[in-house]
Amino acid sequence: MSSKEILEHLSPHHWISGEDIASQLGISRSAVWKQIQSLRAKGYGIDSATNRGYRLASMIDLLCPENILRDLNSKIVGSDLRYFSEAKSTNNLAKSIASSCREGTVVLAETQTNGRGRLSRTWASPPGGIWMSIVLKPQIPLVKAYTINMAVSIAISRVLFALYGLQAGIKWPNDLLVNERKICGILTEISAEMDKLDFAVVGIGINANLDVSEFPDQWMATSLSCELGHDVSRDELIKRLIEEIDFVYEELMAKEIHAEWCKRSATLGRQVRISTFHGDIEGKAIDLSEDGALRLKTPNGEISMLAGDCVHLRAAHEAEKEEDDD
Ligand code: BT5
């Protein structure tokens, strides 16, 4: 018995007793109660009242794969779409099918129970967000793998502006920020043999229709609904994302990817702190090299950082002013 089956019996329009759900599904009332608790823990709003039973607190706008695929204008991305009401992690699912599935396959889930960020960090994935992974099989050398992440960040930034007028800056290496707050995280995982890329799974997490006040303050998170003051159509957004990612994927090898990433970067020009396993380094972010390394100007000279966590310390104009004052 899965909590999804219980969900199918619940409606925002009428009450249903625990007893009725239990008899329709052939389970005990306490099993129903347990599954209701598990749905609540995942973020579904469910009202309960004595002598009445259960009711969905509001209409949940579930994703509809048919809407997403209808008249989809793309060549590779979205060639197949796998939809799950719940997944541990769409990246895990995508990796498990990557060798056998078509290039461009998209895996979508309403919630993730074990959503991951980099270094196995937790990625909160309650209902209402967009949790998707795309399987890509680009014919590019391993050293160019980073451009996939860049291309996808650009596509997301373009779509958020085109659909909602939101300026989403790209924070090195893999976040999108709106008003300095994280609205989207990207996790690209690759499988390679020698110098050849086998496949890449690009995991995209977008806080769409979410109340982020439940998230810890230090995450500095925001969502589309918080920024816009209303919910958005996730089907429409996913469709546009697929189309735009498909488009930039074609341009992947072109130089413009690098130039456009730099243009949309929220990191370049800023004073930053990069934390790595070997310690912290502070400096001004001055450039991004073709392999995705961030170039820093530090008091001890210029260095390149290939990976790490980035904290924005001061805004670009403040960093510039400081330099002028020096
Ligand atoms: C990321 O990692 O930002 C990449 C997130 C990728 C998530 C997608 S969802 C679909 C696919 N399936 C997966 O399992 N993952 C991908 P990182 O830069 O390491 O950031 C993780 C950190 O962001 C956490 O340690 C928290 O501080 C914060 N965080 C967690 N959940 C968040 C959320 N929903 N919104 C904003 N910040 C969050």
Side-chain angles (χ1 to χ4, degrees), residues 64-265:
C64 175
E66 292 77 34
N67 280 348
I68 296 169
L69 292 174
R70 191 174 305 124
D71 303 324
L72 184 72
N73 181 13
S74 77
K75 293 190 182 119
I76 295 173
V77 183
S79 59
D80 190 4
L81 197 152
R82 317 263 177 113
Y83 168 75
F84 299 85
S85 57
E86 182 181 302
K88 279 192 177 138
S89 151
T90 53
N91 261 38
N92 290 3
L93 268 174
K95 282 196 288 182
S96 71
I97 56 167
S99 328
S100 54
C101 73
R102 285 157 76 172
E103 173 169 38
T105 296
V106 173
V107 179
L108 275 174
E110 297 283 359
T111 59
Q112 297 183 117
T113 52
N114 196 16
R116 293 182 294 109
R118 290 172 301 143
L119 306 170
S120 304
R121 290 177 188 135
T122 300
W123 181 260
S125 317
I130 291 177
W131 324 121
M132 68 190 266
S133 299
I134 305 169
V135 179
L136 297 173
K137 306 183 180 180
Q139 304 287 318
I140 55 173
L142 200 51
V143 290
K144 283 264 178 187
Y146 192 79
T147 48
I148 302 171
N149 217 43
M150 289 167 69
V152 171
S153 323
I154 291 171
I156 301 172
S157 171
R158 280 184 190 163
V159 170
L160 295 186
F161 185 73
L163 284 182
Y164 316 117
L166 291 176
Q167 299 272 7
I170 306 171
K171 175 167 176 264
W172 184 87
N174 65 331
D175 296 342
L176 271 104
L177 308 183
V178 170
N179 294 324
E180 302 283 320
R181 292 182 163 267
K182 184 158 169 171
I183 204 154
C184 167
I186 304 168
L187 176 68
T188 301
E189 299 182 284
I190 55 170
S191 159
E193 257 177 60
M194 305 292 284
D195 186 32
K196 206 184 133 288
L197 200 64
D198 237 348
F199 63 77
V201 165
V202 186
I204 300 168
I206 301 180
N207 297 330
N209 303 329
L210 293 186
D211 175 6
V212 288
S213 63
E214 309 269 308
F215 293 168
D217 284 347
Q218 67 268 26
W219 287 5
M220 298 277 291
T222 188
S223 66
L224 293 173
S225 54
C226 287
E227 294 297 325
L228 299 168
H230 59 81
D231 282 359
V232 300
S233 158
R234 289 182 304 151
D235 287 347
E236 182 192 23
L237 174 53
I238 293 170
K239 184 183 190 132
R240 290 289 295 271
L241 285 172
I242 290 178
E243 292 177 344
E244 196 62 38
I245 293 170
D246 187 74
F247 184 70
V248 285
Y249 185 52
E250 273 202 306
E251 296 176 337
L252 197 66
M253 299 309 291
K255 273 253 179 318
E256 290 86 83
I257 289 290
H258 181 260
E260 186 165 351
W261 191 98
C262 293
K263 206 176 90 197
R264 290 174 186 267
S265 169

Side-chain angles (χ1 to χ4, degrees), residues 247-323:
F247 184 70
V248 285
Y249 185 52
E250 273 202 306
E251 296 176 337
L252 197 66
M253 299 309 291
K255 273 253 179 318
E256 290 86 83
I257 289 290
H258 181 260
E260 186 165 351
W261 191 98
C262 293
K263 206 176 90 197
R264 290 174 186 267
S265 169
T267 299
L268 292 183
R270 288 185 84 137
Q271 193 68 17
V272 296
R273 183 188 310 121
I274 309 292
S275 305
T276 71
F277 286 125
H278 308 295
D280 291 359
I281 292 178
E282 282 190 21
K284 185 178 171 191
I286 50 171
D287 195 13
L288 186 92
S289 45
E290 296 281 342
D291 61 359
L294 189 67
R295 200 133 184 88
L296 292 190
K297 187 173 168 192
T298 76
N300 304 322
E302 289 185 15
I303 59 166
S304 275
M305 306 294 299
L306 257 174
D309 281 313
C310 173
V311 176
H312 288 169
L313 297 173
R314 287 192 288 286
H317 64 276
E318 289 166 7
E320 262 160 34
K321 187 171 169 297
E322 233 164 63
E323 262 195 3

